[in-house]
Amino acid sequence: MQSPKIASAIFVDQSFELLIQDKLNKSQKNGMPSLYAKRFWWTRIVVMAGQEAPTITRTRRKSATQHGGSTLADLLQALEDYLPVLLGLVKDGSPLQHKVSFVWINQEDDTEETAISNAWYEVLSVLHLMAMLALSQVNLLLLPRTSADGYQAKVSEENRRASVDIFLKASGYLDCAVRYVLPQLSTELRRELPVDLAEGVLRALSLQALGQGVDVQLGMAIDSTKATLAVKRRLACEMVKYWQQAQDNLMNVPLTNGWAEKHRLYVKWKYNEAKAAAYYYHGLILDEGNTEKSHGMAVAALQASDEYLKESKKVSEAFNATPPLSRNPPLWGTMKFLWEKVPKDTSSKVRINRDLYTYEKVMETAPTLPDFPLALKPDDYQLPPVDNCWNENNVNGGHLGPGQLKSEGR
């Protein structure tokens, strides 16, 4: 399982510190505790530590996995604590939202960093980072570990189920960013956003998280003696739709640098894997029919599965060869099963059907995959309430929702 590198934030403008401190000082005169200031600056320090998160997760992998990825969880909690304070800058269309220049290092954009004096840009960036941290938590959960019996390393069912929940959470952060935060930015300002925060990229990432969640579900279904072929086919077909939509959302996004190209190739790789799985299970179900036509369609579906599996390997090799260079992880879960079964089953079915029917019947075009409604949805994440330090009377105590967000003129 792989996910994009964690984005990094840098804060170079002291005006935010002065602005917030002035507000806090005024609040303290009215009885507000100094704890707000301490909590706020602790949060800022930890958020800045996100710049070092990739290093932390490498050097502390053993302890992080043993304790459920505590470093990533702490960073995610820090961001969640930071958002209520940050949202005070945009409360009721406050003029303060333009007073601070927020600077973020980019990953997929050709420009190294982007500075924008708009607090909604910071909210958008924070939600993106929260999603990346959640995906990194999933990476740790899905690391195969040696089982108690000492045999082959595997991922526990408990971790797989937990990973699906986190995938939905990551998708929810990104869905909130697209539906509630992007509309707060003017058309001109949205053109200044880095590729990392382009609507197509955010939507693709959200769909990727859902697609990977279904992939984990399919892996659990494969391991279950109770899951039918129909259940497995449905999950595989849903996975195809998620990855196809993710690919479609990246079509018009200028992905030109190394990380951006790896993102595009990653989606293409997983899309081919999903189609391999869907055609495999579709072929097995068609083969249960009793007619020459159904058997011919089954062989065609299995052959398509085999071809998509081979294509996915080519794309994965291109992904790994694209700078920054990476290594292909060992096969596990759904793909480990498919690489063991598809070539063997396809060869067997082709041989049997060639003995029974004409060559032309065996080579007919692959059948259309069935169309199932998508079951997994992003978590319904809402922006948190504005921190009380902005309003000692706690006038705005509710969540910021789509009806409360005041947009710039577009």
Side-chain angles (χ1 to χ4, degrees), residues 44-200:
R44 296 289 287 181
I45 291 169
V46 180
V47 170
M48 285 187 283
Q51 187 171 354
E52 301 300 324
T55 302
I56 292 171
T57 55
R58 283 197 300 270
T59 58
R60 297 181 59 189
R61 170 172 290 183
K62 185 174 181 181
S63 63
T65 53
Q66 287 176 340
H67 300 288
S70 58
T71 301
L72 295 172
D74 288 344
L75 287 169
L76 188 54
Q77 184 59 55
L79 289 167
E80 291 177 351
D81 289 344
Y82 170 47
L83 265 181
V85 179
L86 175 62
L87 289 169
L89 293 177
V90 297
K91 176 185 173 184
D92 298 327
S94 170
L96 297 177
Q97 72 179 80
H98 305 290
K99 297 295 184 181
V100 185
S101 178
F102 294 98
V103 186
W104 284 76
I105 295 174
N106 302 319
Q107 177 176 287
E108 299 190 13
D109 200 279
D110 288 331
T111 305
E112 183 176 351
E113 62 184 45
T114 299
I116 296 179
S117 296
N118 190 301
W120 282 117
Y121 166 61
E122 178 78 342
V123 175
L124 187 65
S125 299
V126 167
L127 288 174
H128 177 267
L129 180 52
M130 289 168 67
M132 296 303 101
L133 288 170
L135 293 176
S136 295
Q137 286 181 312
V138 170
N139 279 349
L140 294 179
L141 281 174
L142 296 180
L143 284 174
R145 300 170 194 171
T146 304
S147 57
D149 55 19
Y151 289 101
Q152 187 175 10
K154 58 183 180 181
V155 181
S156 69
E157 182 167 341
E158 179 185 0
N159 279 10
R160 287 190 284 180
R161 291 186 183 280
S163 73
V164 173
D165 291 337
I166 298 176
F167 275 130
L168 298 183
K169 180 187 292 186
S171 182
Y173 293 145
L174 295 161
D175 184 62
C176 176
V178 170
R179 291 195 295 144
Y180 297 156
V181 181
L182 272 181
Q184 310 311 313
L185 301 174
S186 66
T187 302
E188 293 74 18
L189 196 55
R190 289 174 71 164
R191 294 194 189 102
E192 296 179 22
L193 293 175
V195 168
D196 308 60
L197 299 179
E199 181 175 350

Side-chain angles (χ1 to χ4, degrees), residues 292-337:
E292 179 179 352
K293 181 179 180 181
S294 66
H295 290 165
M297 292 173 65
V299 170
L302 290 172
Q303 287 178 322
S305 174
D306 192 45
E307 289 302 313
Y308 281 122
L309 204 57
K310 292 174 181 176
E311 180 63 21
S312 74
K313 184 177 181 180
K314 292 179 183 178
V315 180
S316 73
E317 291 171 351
F319 170 88
N320 290 315
T322 300
L325 302 181
S326 53
R327 292 182 299 176
N328 208 17
L331 291 174
W332 74 281
T334 304
M335 287 306 113
K336 186 176 187 298
F337 174 83

Side-chain angles (χ1 to χ4, degrees), residues 380-395:
D380 184 21
Y381 177 79
Q382 296 183 12
L383 293 174
V386 172
D387 194 286
N388 285 339
C389 71
W390 290 101
N391 190 335
E392 54 271 21
N393 295 318
N394 195 25
V395 173

Side-chain angles (χ1 to χ4, degrees), residues 232-278:
K232 296 169 188 175
R233 180 179 66 174
R234 175 169 184 145
L235 288 170
C237 288
E238 288 183 37
M239 189 161 60
V240 169
K241 291 177 71 172
Y242 284 122
W243 286 108
Q244 181 178 13
Q245 290 177 27
Q247 183 168 270
D248 290 346
N249 274 283
L250 293 178
M251 289 291 289
N252 297 319
V253 179
L255 302 175
T256 55
N257 73 10
W259 277 108
E261 177 62 9
K262 286 185 86 73
H263 187 182
R264 185 186 67 80
L265 287 170
Y266 182 74
V267 172
K268 184 178 180 181
W269 170 15
K270 296 302 173 181
Y271 182 34
N272 277 286
E273 285 187 346
K275 287 191 285 188

